[in-house]
Amino acid sequence: MISGKLVRGKARILGVAAVAMGLVAMMPFAKAQPYPSRTMTVLVGYSAGGQADALARIIGKQLGENLKVSVVIENKTGANGMIAAQAAARAEPDGYTILMVTDAMLTIDPHLATSNQFDLSKAMEPVVNLASSPLLLAVANNVPANSVAELVALGKQKSQSLSFGSPGSSTPHRHAGEMLQKAGGFTMTHIPYKGTSVAVNDLLGGQIPMLFGAFTAVEPLAAAGKIKVLGVTSERRDPLLPNVPSISETFPSFKITSYIGLMLPKNTPKPVIDALNKEVNQVLASETMRGWLDKQGMIAVGGAPDAFKRQIEVDYQARGELVRALGITAE
């Protein structure tokens, strides 16, 4: 016969065990936090006021308002954006440290790098391609050319005397200049600058005859009659500049655009990547965002992480071939 005391003792033990098991079962849910639930940081490898920085700030503002969290923009300049990239790669892969990347960082820099340089594509996960933009071919007012064909003819007449500026060796701006001289069969001297604004100042001052620049850096000056825009690097004419021909109208295979996207550290959980992608795509679809991009001469891209990954892979191969074919080196 089993005593009542023993039965009650066993019941208490079973009760404690059941509570413990319940607590264990609840632990994952107790620890889980909705994403995002705290401040997010976007690292930008370029100085404040530039195109990447401006885009990061308006995206961050809209994202923060939609998600009810703070989004901080932190500029970590240097090494063509790689200082910021390395800082992002060292961050916890939890979705709270986001890297703003450019196509140059992903598809040009690696081909100009030394063998031991940081490999961005292996350290980060693509989230979304935010926006793309063509470049504008601008020349100083004293350059006796009013079309791409006239500029090429001038280059052939004065071999080695034409030069072009760019914001650096590993930029689409520099590649556009190299592509133009190859297509036109003439030569130019490349002059790298530390940023577009410095190059544009020299263009205005007549120190350099031409450059390829972003819409916001070039178009206002052209509208004011201070410089001339001869062409756009997109496949077709830009709707904002319908009277400016695409360079492909002279050289059919000529096309180069730049883009800016977001990445997260390697090993970030896929649900976090997908959640951020979804939220950013909603921002890109908003009238406010599209209106702002239009004014910058940019086009919203968006899409899935895999689409951004494929874009990087395609451009990495194509631009690598261009670097090797033209013998482009870091300067």
Side-chain angles (χ1 to χ4, degrees):
M1 182 177 178
I2 301 174
S3 70
K5 187 175 181 179
L6 181 58
V7 170
R8 287 194 297 273
K10 286 185 176 181
R12 281 197 298 270
I13 292 171
L14 290 172
V16 171
V19 170
M21 290 176 67
L23 289 173
V24 170
M26 290 173 62
M27 281 177 66
F29 298 97
K31 288 183 178 181
Q33 294 285 338
Y35 172 80
S37 58
R38 56 183 172 85
T39 298
M40 307 168 79
T41 300
V42 179
L43 299 183
V44 181
Y46 302 91
S47 58
Q51 190 179 57
D53 174 76
L55 180 56
R57 291 183 187 280
I58 191 167
I59 288 283
K61 181 177 183 295
Q62 295 292 318
L63 196 61
E65 290 175 359
N66 290 354
L67 296 173
K68 311 300 181 189
V69 298
S70 297
V71 179
V72 176
I73 309 302
E74 185 176 344
N75 300 90
K76 285 184 173 291
T77 61
N80 294 327
M82 288 303 163
I83 300 298
Q86 290 178 19
R90 291 192 296 267
E92 287 294 323
D94 54 12
Y96 289 95
T97 301
I98 306 164
L99 177 66
M100 176 76 78
V101 294
T102 64
D103 56 312
M105 294 167 64
L106 293 161
T107 66
I108 300 176
D109 279 344
H111 299 291
L112 304 177
T114 57
S115 59
N116 60 351
Q117 183 159 331
F118 172 73
D119 191 335
L120 176 58
S121 63
K122 291 182 179 179
M124 304 293 292
E125 296 280 1
V127 176
V128 64
N129 188 346
L130 296 172
S132 66
S133 59
L135 299 172
L136 302 181
L137 169 57
V139 300
N141 282 339
N142 61 1
V143 173
N146 293 304
S147 69
V148 172
E150 289 180 3
L151 181 65
V152 170
L154 181 67
K156 289 180 176 179
Q157 292 171 9
K158 299 181 178 181
S159 181
Q160 299 292 341
S161 64
L162 276 184
S163 61
F164 72 98
S166 84
S169 299
S170 59
T171 60
H173 311 64
R174 192 262 175 98
H175 275 226
E178 300 288 354
M179 289 168 61
L180 180 62
Q181 54 183 323
K182 181 184 180 184
F186 68 107
T187 58
M188 296 188 290
T189 301
H190 173 235
I191 302 177
Y193 287 84
K194 292 184 177 179
T196 298
S197 60
V198 186
V200 169
N201 285 338
D202 273 6
L203 180 69
L204 286 169
Q207 280 77 36
I208 56 173
M210 61 171 285
L211 56 72
F212 284 87
F215 182 92
T216 50
V218 170
E219 193 278 334
L221 297 172
K226 296 181 178 180
I227 58 175
K228 298 182 288 187
V229 172
L230 304 186
V232 61
T233 64
S234 51
E235 189 174 4
R236 297 178 179 84
R237 296 193 181 201
D238 192 303
L240 295 177
L241 298 169
N243 295 324
V244 176
S246 66
I247 298 174
S248 66
E249 292 176 31
T250 304
F251 302 111
S253 62
F254 195 104
K255 177 189 175 184
I256 185 167
T257 57
S258 62
Y259 50 85
I260 300 173
L262 298 178
M263 301 185 86
L264 287 171
K266 206 74 171 176
N267 298 320
T268 298
K270 189 175 185 303
V272 171
I273 294 173
D274 291 341
L276 181 59
N277 173 272
K278 178 182 177 181
E279 294 296 337
V280 174
N281 271 298
Q282 288 180 358
V283 170
L284 291 174
S286 70
E287 290 186 10
T288 299
M289 193 69 229
R290 289 186 179 273
W292 184 87
L293 288 171
D294 283 345
K295 292 178 181 179
Q296 310 304 309
M298 304 179 76
I299 302 168
V301 179
D306 283 346
F308 188 24
K309 182 179 181 180
R310 287 193 297 272
Q311 180 74 59
I312 294 167
E313 291 171 347
V314 168
D315 289 341
Y316 176 87
Q317 181 175 348
R319 293 179 178 181
E321 291 173 356
L322 181 65
V323 166
R324 291 186 288 273
L326 298 179
I328 298 174
T329 59
E331 297 176 344

